[in-house]
Structures are given as structure tokens and as C-alpha cells.
Amino acid sequence: MISSNEYGASSWELSILVDHQYEEEQREFTLQVSGDLHIGGVMLKLVEQMNLSQDWSDYALWWEQKKCWLLKTHWTLDKYGVQADAKLLFTNQHKMLRLRLPNMKTVRLKASFSSVVFKAVSDICKTLNIRRSEELSLLKQSEDTLKKKKKKDKNNKEPVIEDILNLTNSPVSSGSPASPGLYSKTMTPIYDPVNGTPASATITWFSDSPLTEQNCRILAFSPPNCPPEVLAEMYQPRTLADKAKLSAGWLDSSRSLMEQGIQEDDQLFLRFKYYTFFDLNPKYDAVRINQLYEQARWAILLEEIDCTEEELLIFAALQYHVSKLSLSSEAQDFTHDSEVDEVEAALSNLEVTLEGGKTNSILEDITDIPKLADHLRLFRPKKLSLKPIKQYWFVFKDTSISYFKSKEVGQGEPIERLNLKGCEVVPDVNVAGKKFGIKLMIPVADGMNEINLRCDNENQYAEWMAACILASKGKTMADSSYQLEVQNILSFLQMKNRTMSPQAVSDPESMEMKPECFVSPRYAKKYKSKQLAARILEAHQNVAQMSLVEAKLRFIQAWQSLPEFGLTYYIVRFKGSKKDDLLGVSYNRLIRIDMATGDPITTWRFSNMKQWNVNWEIRQVAIEFDQNVSIAFTCLSADCKIVHEYIGGYIFLSTRSKDQNETLDEDLFHKLTGGQE
């Protein structure tokens, strides 16, 4: 026993503010503590002094000056470095947060403000019935886009009343880990193949989800189309630099919301961050597929991604089809099991493509790798010649293309052999104009070597394009996904190949559509409303027989086939360079892009990467590749941690496989994305 005098010499006063949920104002309490008192003891003393009977299990101490939670309750005040001048707040770890979903719906729910964002997003997705939470993250809207919106809002006399879906009963299980069998392989979902919404039984997939069947339908359904005047007022990136601003606000996945200055009831955006959609399954993913479709739809409407006029009309036709089915009364009724089987059969090919998996088809004999040989025309845009397009005999074998002067000399030495591993493959197609081109951007020591191939018809194009896409990923035509790739390219071309049906335009119901709702504002100004409606209905003929889920999946697939798909831009300054460049980050590569022209300069594949790290003092990301290639850059449009996390995140996602029982190695994610900070 020690005397009270001795104890008093080593003890000191600690002030703690208490954030009480039933009282508006915070109350301050002063405790007599010593440096060897652990955090759990501090909280116990505080609760005893308050003498209030309530559940304090979700409460923890937050250190305002250091911007950190004191969650290790066995640590002492000395170990944390807490002294008498510290300002501590005793507050609940789960607070209300407003989330703007990809379908522009705002959901208000409880989220963990003390868990790292990676874990908080996982819990949010569990609440919203969205699988594969690692593909999503939280985005804070950049100041520039907010300023532009505010200027426009000043002109509006009436304030816009936001429609908020309140999920106030979300689980408050503080820090309890998600059960590993959350998405059990044995679950037998019941879903409606026409509209893709889950039936009541599927709500039980998520035992602690506060979603009612009605709320689940709201998230799995597309809302009515946005009026053209509202669409015209939304922020649209005009340049690549504007697009770089859109991706500057991603939150750090390794820190909590509170550490990043997010307050209770703030609004954040929940978005798909990583463009690799693993195991996208119509049976379980009604909400996920709809939110993904919505994110793709807004990217097209707001021109966040470029597409040709022909492609825009396909997207418009699919949107029109989805909105038509969503509004129809038939879509609300549940259908029979036989129809479920038919839809499953129709979607099986599409499902495999979107998840990048293997088909059940018999594997070809891998000792005999197939090859393609045919006459194609070659065009080099940067080479000056009187006859820019010349015909050669091309042979495609393994992952390279060789070309010869003629078929007769095809066994000899080629004029040139092009290795396509790691190249960019860009479609250059106009179906109406019978133009079937393949643009190849092949990485060379001093930049990119651009070569254009021209095919004669759709079938030839599909075979060569599929071979090029696989070769760019390091796969040959012996891979089981080759035939599937060919089929998908052909079906996409078929959608573009519009056959006009006279009765379509005379249909009075069709003529009531507002075509400006389905295309970007810039394109809507280009044509009269009737012209636009006729063109969309013409394109609609090729998709009119699709079910709702199939139309959404087709939209996502068409979005994935765009040249710019999955590219996130950042403004950077490369080491040794005197001007700013753009860095495009994709699921498998980094691209250095000229800011003035938008042309790619160099591509680096993640597969060739040896190591990457950050020099935190000068905020510089350094990456080493094979063959002694190394790059270093500082990021100007965002924090370098965001870019570093993107790279590590994509590498983490590439490690996923179906036999992992759907559990994630969170430690590996933080190891790959943290940058040894």
C-alpha cells in the first residue's frame, strides 16, 4: 500500500469531453489519473464518475490533437504519450453517414468511424447487400466540382429536396468480424429474372442487414431517368485534367473516417474504385449489378469516358430498354422456375466473360497452339508514304504477329515480327461504314509504336481482335476464353449493326420517350429530338428481346470494351521531366500520357513490376520494373498515397481466386497498399 501523498505526486488531472447521444452539448469531466493507468481503466473511471446507466460498449476515446483513436485498451497513458494537456473525447465509434450511391440515391446509415476505411466499406456493403466490397471505396467530392455545382445552384430559386433512404437500424456490432461464411456457396437464392431483384428469401443471405425487401428493390432497381435539364447542370469533365480531379478524393483505406476529417452526417460517395469485377453473378448480385450499371451509365452520360457516336446509340438503346422494363408492370411479378433456367442459360456466357473465368468447354490440346493466317491491310499513322495502307500476308502465332509481302513467302523470314505481350489493343470500328480496324500500341524503349490493322469483315475482325486481346495479356489462342472472346465481339458488332424496322418509329408509346435522357448533353444538342428518338429506336431493335438483367450486363460489357475503360487519371511530374504529364492507372498497367494531346507515351505492366515504394519526405512514388527500368514521380492532383494505393490495390485484387472461400486477406491488402508509411 502507498500513502495518498505519494500517489498524488505521480498523478495528474485529465480532462475528457463526453459526446452523449441523448444530449446536444458535450459535457466535460476531470479525472485524477497516473501515467501507468491503462485506457480501459480510464474509461471505467469515467463511466463510474458519470453515473449514467446505459450501454457504453460502442464508445471509445478519441485524441483530437493527434487525430487518433485510443483503441488498444491494454495500453497505458504513458505508452500512448497522453499527458495533462491532451484533449480526449469519449464518443461512439459508429455514427450516421450519408452515402451517395452510383444510382444517385442517398442512403443514411451507421458506419464505423474508428475502423479503417477498408473494413468500414466492408460493413457498409454487407448492410447494402453488395458482395465483393474490396472493389468499392469511399470518395469525397473535390472542391472544384462542388464550386461549379454551387454556382449553378445559386441560379435555382427552389432548393432541391434530397430523397434519402434511411437505414438507421444498421448493425452496431463494434468491431465484430464478418462471419467467413457470409456468402455461403450453398445459398439458394430466389430472384426475378425479368427485373433481377431479389425475392424476400434472399434478404436472409445477410442475417444482420437492415434492408427490407422494399429497400432492397430500391437499390436493385434503376430510378426513372434524370430530366435533361438536371443532367445538363451536372459536373462534366471537359479535359483529361478535369478527369484527374474526379479521382483525387478517394479516402485512404488504411485510416479511419475520423482520422481523415469526416464528421457525423457528412456526405460521401460509395463507388466502384477498382475496375475488376470478380464473380459477377446474376443469382446473388442484383444490387451490385444495378449499382455497377448505374456507375457505367453516368460515366457515359457525363462523358467521363469517351465513346463513338455509334457506341453512344447502343448505350442509349440499352438504357431505354432498361427503363422501359423497369417501369413495366410485368417486371414487378415473379416468374416461374423454368424461366429462371432459360435466363441462366442465356446469361452463362456473359457471366463468364464479366468475371474473367474459365468456361466448361473442352480445352484444346495445348501442345498444338492454333494460329491465324490471312490477308490484312497495314497502316502506320506516323510514317509518311505515298501508299499509307498496304496489304500483307499476316500470321498470328503464340503472342506475336508476323507479316510477309505475300502468302507464297509466308514460310520465310517476315518483314517484321511484333510481340503483342503488354501492348494496348484499341478497337477502331464503324459497322455502318464497314470499317473494321485494330489499333495496336506496342511498347518500345523510347515510347509507343502505333500500328493499325484493317480487316475485311466482321468475322475476320472478331478472330484477330480476340487473338490480339489475349496476346496483350500474355495468353495464346489455345486459352479456353478465346472462342468466348470471339463470340462477345461478334455479338457487340451485331448490336451496332442496326436494321431499321418501320413499325418501331410509328409505335406511339415509343415516340413518347425523351431521347435527351439517354445521351450526353453535348450529343443531345447535335440532333433534333425526333431524329435522336428515331436513331435510338433503330438501335433498340437489336436489344429489344433482352431481359432486364441481361440488358444491364450487356451495358456493363459494352462499357468494359471501350478503349478508355478502367483508366483513372492523375496529374504527375516524372523525375527528370520539366513538364507535367498524366498517369493513367488501370487494372494491369500504368500509362504515361501527354497532357496536351492525350496520346499515350509509355506503358508499364504490373506483371513486369519488381517493387514499388514511396519516399514520404518528398512524396515521391518510385517503381522498379524488369530489365533495369525504373520510374519515379510526384503526384500533383492528389496525395501520392492515393496513387500508391491504387497500384497496390489492383495487385491485391489480382490475387483473388474462387477457391479462397470468399474470405479476404486484409493484412495483405494493407501490406500492398500501405507503402511502409
Side-chain angles (χ1 to χ4, degrees):
M1 295 289 288
I2 56 169
S3 68
S4 57
N5 290 343
E6 286 177 83
Y7 177 76
S10 63
S11 71
W12 37 274
E13 287 188 341
L14 178 65
S15 296
I16 300 176
L17 280 169
V18 177
D19 206 352
H20 198 284
Q21 58 185 25
Y22 301 116
E23 294 175 17
E24 282 189 22
E25 285 190 15
Q26 295 173 338
R27 287 170 62 193
E28 190 172 354
F29 291 85
T30 305
L31 302 182
Q32 195 74 24
V33 297
S34 59
D36 58 359
L37 181 64
H38 53 74
I39 299 299
V42 174
M43 297 199 309
L44 189 64
K45 266 192 157 194
L46 180 64
V47 170
E48 282 173 356
Q49 191 172 321
M50 281 191 288
N51 198 19
L52 274 170
S53 56
Q54 73 161 70
D55 180 5
W56 298 102
S57 60
D58 189 44
Y59 275 64
L61 289 169
W62 165 255
W63 190 356
E64 185 58 50
Q65 295 108 310
K66 290 282 175 80
K67 291 264 182 277
C68 74
W69 287 92
L70 309 182
L71 297 175
K72 294 186 173 100
T73 50
H74 59 286
W75 277 28
T76 62
L77 291 170
D78 281 347
K79 193 167 182 179
Y80 263 120
V82 176
Q83 292 175 339
D85 61 345
K87 286 181 183 168
L88 299 186
L89 174 68
F90 190 52
T91 185
N92 45 331
Q93 297 172 61
H94 288 77
K95 300 174 186 290
M96 296 310 289
L97 190 65
R98 284 179 304 131
L99 287 180
R100 196 91 185 268
L101 303 184
N103 67 345
M104 300 297 175
K105 187 90 185 164
T106 300
V107 171
R108 194 164 174 267
L109 44 66
K110 265 198 173 153
S112 172
F113 274 59
S114 62
S115 304
V116 295
V117 165
F118 185 85
K119 175 75 176 71
V121 170
S122 171
D123 292 343
I124 288 165
C125 287
K126 207 195 317 181
T127 303
L128 299 178
N129 247 345
I130 297 173
R131 293 195 311 147
R132 306 290 172 197
S133 63
E134 66 276 10
E135 294 167 2
L136 298 96
S137 193
L138 298 174
L139 181 73
K140 197 176 180 182
Q141 200 169 34
S142 72
E143 292 299 315
D144 288 358
T145 59
L146 281 170
K147 278 175 197 165
K148 292 196 178 181
K149 274 192 169 179
K150 278 176 185 167
K151 277 182 190 172
K152 282 174 177 166
D153 287 347
K154 280 180 186 173
N155 305 330
N156 296 343
K157 303 229 172 123
E158 288 180 33
V160 179
I161 297 163
E162 200 170 22
D163 181 19
I164 294 180
L165 176 64
N166 241 324
L167 301 179
T168 43
N169 304 326
S170 347
V172 188
S173 49
S174 54
S176 64
S179 56
L182 181 64
Y183 313 110
S184 158
K185 292 268 195 289
T186 56
M187 61 186 176
T188 50
I190 301 165
Y191 78 108
D192 181 354
V194 177
N195 60 28
T197 56
S200 53
T202 55
I203 299 303
T204 59
W205 303 347
F206 295 83
S207 54
D208 54 359
S209 173
L211 284 177
T212 60
E213 186 176 345
Q214 185 189 357
N215 288 346
C216 203
R217 279 178 173 275
I218 289 168
L219 300 181
F221 253 121
S222 287
N225 280 66
C226 175
E229 53 275 12
V230 175
L231 182 61
E233 284 185 3
M234 294 177 84
Y235 177 74
Q236 283 180 267
R238 295 289 174 210
T239 62
L240 286 172
D242 285 348
K243 289 179 185 179
K245 286 173 191 166
L246 294 174
S247 48
W250 289 110
L251 295 188
D252 186 338
S253 298
S254 306
R255 290 160 66 216
S256 68
L257 290 171
M258 201 100 148
E259 286 171 78
Q260 298 179 71
I262 307 301
Q263 301 294 316
E264 182 158 19
D265 235 18
D266 276 1
Q267 177 168 287
L268 294 173
F269 287 71
L270 180 70
R271 291 285 183 271
F272 288 88
K273 177 179 180 179
Y274 299 104
Y275 293 89
T276 53
F277 314 125
F278 187 69
D279 183 30
L280 200 57
N281 190 326
K283 280 194 270 187
Y284 312 123
D285 289 325
V287 175
R288 184 174 166 219
I289 287 171
N290 185 57
Q291 296 299 333
L292 197 48
Y293 159 75
E294 286 290 329
Q295 186 159 327
R297 189 170 81 86
W298 285 106
I300 301 291
L301 289 176
L302 299 176
E303 294 187 31
E304 288 171 19
I305 186 168
D306 291 338
C307 61
T308 64
E309 198 169 294
E310 196 170 40
E311 286 159 347
L312 194 67
L313 286 168
I314 290 172
F315 286 123
L318 284 165
Q319 282 179 75
Y320 170 60
H321 189 61
V322 167
S323 67
K324 204 173 168 185
L325 287 182
S326 300
L327 292 169
S328 68
S329 56
E330 300 90 69
Q332 309 298 328
D333 301 326
F334 291 114
T335 46
H336 303 296
D337 292 343
S338 59
E339 291 178 1
V340 173
D341 296 336
E342 281 172 33
V343 171
E344 280 190 13
L347 292 175
S348 60
N349 288 356
L350 200 56
E351 189 186 320
V352 173
T353 321
L354 292 167
E355 71 187 28
K358 296 266 188 285
T359 56
N360 295 328
S361 59
I362 301 157
L363 289 173
E364 294 88 350
D365 179 9
I366 54 172
T367 54
D368 179 31
I369 293 174
K371 68 176 187 178
L372 288 173
D374 212 340
H375 282 110
L376 300 175
R377 282 159 295 151
L378 178 77
F379 166 57
R380 288 180 188 271
K382 289 174 185 173
K383 201 172 180 184
L384 288 169
S385 64
L386 293 169
K387 253 182 110 181
I389 301 181
K390 286 179 81 174
Q391 185 167 291
Y392 296 99
W393 177 254
F394 280 81
V395 176
F396 198 120
K397 189 154 190 196
D398 291 332
T399 58
S400 60
I401 287 183
S402 306
Y403 62 96
F404 308 83
K405 271 196 170 175
S406 64
K407 186 178 179 179
E408 290 69 42
V409 295
Q411 299 301 319
E413 193 61 33
I415 299 168
E416 192 178 5
R417 180 177 280 111
L418 308 165
N419 185 9
L420 302 191
K421 201 172 175 183
C423 77
E424 302 292 310
V425 184
V426 182
D428 183 15
V429 176
N430 182 333
V431 178
K434 298 289 178 199
K435 177 187 175 187
F436 302 101
I438 302 169
K439 192 188 284 185
L440 300 172
M441 315 283 277
I442 302 165
V444 287
D446 58 342
M448 302 287 272
N449 183 7
E450 187 181 329
I451 287 167
N452 287 350
L453 303 180
R454 291 280 168 85
C455 302
D456 295 327
N457 53 54
E458 292 180 16
N459 290 333
Q460 189 188 47
Y461 168 78
E463 287 176 355
W464 285 81
M465 184 67 177
C468 290
I469 290 168
L470 259 64
S472 72
K473 297 172 184 172
K475 296 177 183 178
T476 69
M477 285 183 286
D479 192 272
S480 59
S481 60
Y482 173 68
Q483 287 303 329
L484 200 66
E485 192 70 56
V486 173
Q487 287 308 312
N488 284 325
I489 292 167
L490 282 171
S491 68
F492 191 45
L493 291 176
Q494 208 175 342
M495 283 201 289
K496 288 185 173 187
N497 190 9
R498 303 189 307 280
T499 47
M500 187 59 176
S501 164
Q503 73 268 22
V505 183
S506 59
D507 181 2
E509 184 199 336
S510 302
M511 291 313 289
E512 284 173 19
M513 85 143 123
K514 286 185 178 171
E516 297 83 5
C517 296
F518 305 110
V519 295
S520 63
R522 188 167 58 91
Y523 188 75
K525 287 173 191 167
K526 200 174 168 183
Y527 293 95
K528 287 180 181 167
S529 190
K530 275 191 176 179
Q531 281 179 310
L532 203 51
R535 295 190 73 182
I536 292 171
L537 290 169
E538 195 183 334
H540 181 248
Q541 294 302 295
N542 293 316
V543 300
Q545 301 310 310
M546 290 180 185
S547 69
L548 187 53
V549 178
E550 195 183 351
K552 286 178 185 177
L553 286 172
R554 280 283 176 207
F555 194 100
I556 296 165
Q557 187 194 23
W559 176 47
Q560 285 176 307
S561 71
L562 294 176
E564 281 184 25
F565 168 77
L567 274 177
T568 307
Y569 300 99
Y570 291 98
I571 300 169
V572 297
R573 174 72 63 91
F574 278 90
K575 192 178 178 181
S577 174
K578 289 181 179 171
K579 66 183 188 70
D580 298 346
D581 283 303
L582 275 167
L583 182 74
V585 184
S586 182
Y587 74 97
N588 60 354
R589 67 203 187 280
L590 297 173
I591 309 170
R592 184 176 181 173
I593 300 164
D594 186 294
M595 208 153 155
T597 62
D599 292 337
I601 302 166
T602 320
T603 297
W604 302 279
R605 310 292 287 193
F606 290 159
S607 55
N608 299 334
M609 197 187 282
K610 282 173 28 184
Q611 68 167 31
W612 71 103
N613 54 55
V614 181
N615 180 333
W616 294 108
E617 283 179 30
I618 56 171
R619 315 298 285 179
Q620 187 179 71
V621 181
I623 308 173
E624 278 182 44
F625 296 93
D626 293 340
Q627 299 171 331
N628 297 323
V629 174
S630 61
I631 59 170
F633 58 84
T634 49
C635 191
L636 307 175
S637 61
D639 191 284
C640 65
K641 172 67 168 74
I642 293 177
V643 183
H644 183 277
E645 188 180 302
Y646 243 119
I647 297 167
Y650 271 127
I651 290 166
F652 169 74
L653 294 185
S654 70
T655 65
R656 295 182 296 180
S657 66
K658 276 201 162 180
D659 53 342
Q660 285 178 342
N661 198 23
E662 313 206 14
T663 51
L664 283 172
D665 187 345
E666 195 177 327
D667 289 341
L668 178 63
F669 175 83
H670 293 303
K671 200 174 173 183
L672 290 169
T673 58
Q676 294 83 49
E677 195 173 0

